[in-house]
Amino acid sequence: MPTPKPLSTTKVATFCHVSHAAVCNWVKSGKLTAYRTPGGQYRIEPHVLLDFMKRHGMPIPEEFSPRQAKRIVVVDDEVEILDLVKRGLGKTGAGYDVEVAADGYTAGRLVHSLAPNLVLLDIRMPGIDGIAVCRNIKTDPATAKTRIVVVSAYATDENVRKLRELGVEDFLEKPFDVTTLMLKVKSVIGEP
C-alpha cells in the first residue's frame, strides 16, 4: 500500500476551512506537529492531521478520510502468477492492496508487518513450502486469524487434509482465471 504523502499547510488549511496563516500558527504554537522540508516549508503527516481534527471536533472531509483497503499477500515462486494476481486484484476498481512474495521467508515477514486480510498461498515453493508457511501463520497468536486460500496445482487429498487441519479457508486450483480468483477472494474477505 502506498504511504500517504505529507500535506502542505495550504492543503491542511483547505481541509480545516481556515487560512494558511492559522495553520502556520498551529504549527508554531505546537498544537499541530509538522516538520520542515529542506526548503523551509512545513509538512504535516496525514495521520497527524486526522488526529488533530478529531481532537478539536473538526469535521473530517470525505476525500481525506482513509479508506481501509483490504490487504492481500500473494505467495508464489512463479513470477507470472504473482504478476497476474497483482494486476487482477490490484487494478483500479478492484480496490485491494496487493503485496507479493516469491518465497516463504518473505511471506512470513510480510504477514507480520502488514497484517493482511488474506494470504493467497502456493504449496510448492523452494525453501519453506506452503504448508510450513501456513503452519507458521496459523500457530503464531499474532497472525493466527489471518485468512488463507491455497492456490496450487498440488492440492492432493493429503495436502488438503493437512491444510484444512491448520485452518485454511479455501482452495483454488491452478490454472485459474482472474474472474474465478476474484470471486474466491470476495467470498472469503468480501468486497474491497
Side-chain angles (χ1 to χ4, degrees), residues 35-136:
Y35 67 89
R36 283 190 182 262
T37 65
Q41 302 296 314
Y42 289 122
R43 291 292 180 264
I44 296 98
E45 294 291 338
H47 71 278
V48 170
L49 178 60
L50 188 60
D51 290 343
F52 175 84
M53 293 175 81
K54 287 178 181 176
R55 262 193 336 268
H56 291 88
M58 295 177 167
I60 309 298
E62 190 174 310
E63 69 269 18
F64 185 68
S65 295
R67 179 173 109 356
Q68 293 298 322
K70 293 185 179 174
R71 288 188 183 123
I72 300 173
V73 171
V74 183
V75 187
D76 201 304
D77 61 331
E78 294 180 55
V79 175
E80 299 81 20
I81 298 290
L82 294 175
D83 289 343
L84 172 72
V85 174
K86 185 155 183 142
R87 278 195 322 272
L89 295 177
K91 68 183 177 188
T92 305
Y96 296 104
D97 283 334
V98 181
E99 295 292 331
V100 297
D103 59 73
Y105 173 76
T106 305
R109 204 170 33 78
L110 285 175
V111 169
H112 275 277
S113 65
L114 298 176
N117 301 87
L118 176 66
V119 174
L120 296 174
L121 180 64
D122 189 17
I123 294 176
R124 289 184 108 181
M125 294 181 294
I128 303 172
D129 70 7
I131 294 172
V133 171
C134 182
R135 185 176 299 108
N136 291 341

